[in-house]
Amino acid sequence: MQYANLATVAGTTTYGGPGSKYKSINEDSFFFGISVNKSLVTGVVDGAGGSSFGYLAGKLANDALATKLFEGKNVLAAFAAADEYVILNGKGGYATGVAVEVDEHLLVQMAAKGDTRAMTIREGQPLKEGTTVIQSEVARKIELGELPPHAIHTAKGRNIIYSIIGNHNMPISTNVFQGETQDVIVLASDGLWDVVSDFEILKMAQNYQGSALQRALYELAYERNNSTDEFAIQFAANEIHVIKPLFVHPTKCHG
């Protein structure tokens, strides 16, 4: 959907397909629209699958983030409200999420908690100031130099996160930068980041734009998340890593 001169927004979400552990329950959600400040606001939320009420927490977090951003609150205030709403009503569940605001002058503010993330592409390269941090234990070890960069896709325990929506005391990744008209911002849950590398996303962005790029990324992530065989992730121009599927598919019985 085109929003005046601010941006084109395209999005899709699914429970994950036949290889998913969620059995048709989709804990992911997204929102977008124009705030009272005439800014474009958008976000992605993922109910944390390891919590007993992940779906509920994801819905509550989405509602709180969207409501506050549409009311004109900034991204930090919106996350504070989402934390509180999930704490009070989430029955012990929690979520991860990322939210972005783009004002009339293309000033971009973004914030994220957990392994739901935003990455900005400018002139074919990732823009560091427009990319939020993946708040997982593996990502932290990579940043400290304790693991190689490709471990974000291959290391055991890469799904262990150290920040959530539903706790005021956990860190939040924030970015503010001046956007440009040709910037591309990819927002996604770990359903994308776990199985598609930044390098692959950059390559796709060279060949696709707008909804076509969104569809290409969705289809690749869907295929890999539902793979029963090992698959290759290209991490750099001359670096490919083969990884096993994240989940074991149940055997189909025929009577």
Side-chain angles (χ1 to χ4, degrees):
M1 183 174 292
Q2 179 71 37
Y3 280 101
N5 296 319
L6 292 177
T8 299
V9 179
T12 301
T13 183
T14 176
Y15 75 94
S20 172
K21 65 180 180 180
Y22 296 108
K23 311 303 180 188
S24 81
I25 297 175
N26 187 3
E27 295 188 347
D28 286 10
S29 59
F30 62 92
F31 62 87
F32 55 89
I34 298 295
S35 75
V36 296
N37 299 331
K38 298 182 180 179
S39 296
L40 168 66
V41 294
T42 184
V44 172
V45 174
D46 179 12
S51 63
S52 57
F53 290 95
Y55 173 80
L56 173 62
K59 183 180 186 303
L60 294 171
N62 184 301
D63 290 348
L65 287 172
T67 297
K68 294 302 179 182
L69 288 168
F70 290 146
E71 290 175 353
K73 301 296 191 296
N74 63 36
V75 289
L76 285 176
F79 266 90
D83 280 330
E84 186 69 15
Y85 199 34
V86 171
I87 290 168
L88 292 176
N89 302 288
K91 299 182 179 180
Y94 50 87
T96 70
V98 59
V100 175
E101 177 187 5
V102 184
D103 75 8
E104 294 179 285
H105 307 289
L106 297 186
L107 181 68
V108 182
Q109 299 183 59
M110 55 176 59
K113 297 186 82 171
D115 52 8
T116 298
R117 177 188 181 218
M119 182 177 78
T120 301
I121 303 169
R122 179 175 293 176
E123 297 180 352
Q125 298 298 319
L127 185 68
K128 183 176 181 180
E129 58 266 36
T131 300
T132 60
V133 174
I134 294 178
Q135 293 172 316
S136 71
E137 293 297 339
V138 167
R140 180 153 54 187
K141 289 180 179 179
I142 292 171
E143 185 177 355
L144 293 172
E146 298 175 6
L147 288 173
H150 64 77
I152 199 70
H153 302 290
T154 59
K156 292 182 179 179
R158 58 188 182 275
N159 61 328
I160 300 173
I161 56 177
Y162 60 83
S163 186
I164 57 171
I165 300 174
N167 187 316
H168 290 298
N169 299 318
M170 290 186 170
I172 184 168
S173 175
T174 59
N175 303 66
V176 179
F177 67 98
Q178 181 58 51
E180 297 183 1
T181 54
Q182 299 304 310
D183 287 349
V184 175
I185 304 177
V186 178
L187 288 77
S189 69
D190 59 347
L192 176 73
W193 305 116
D194 278 351
V195 296
V196 182
S197 72
D198 290 3
F199 180 82
E200 291 171 323
I201 293 172
L202 294 174
K203 285 179 62 179
M204 284 191 175
Q206 294 174 2
N207 300 313
Y208 302 99
Q209 295 181 347
S211 59
L213 174 61
Q214 178 270 316
R215 190 68 194 177
L217 292 174
Y218 169 84
E219 290 178 351
L220 179 58
Y222 187 92
E223 175 187 351
R224 289 179 174 176
N225 277 310
N226 286 284
S227 175
T228 56
D229 301 312
E230 294 180 338
F231 54 85
I233 290 181
Q234 186 169 13
F235 187 79
N238 298 308
E239 187 176 354
I240 295 176
H241 296 274
V242 176
I243 67 172
K244 295 180 180 180
L246 289 175
F247 307 112
V248 177
H249 298 205
T251 302
K252 293 183 179 180
C253 298
H254 302 278

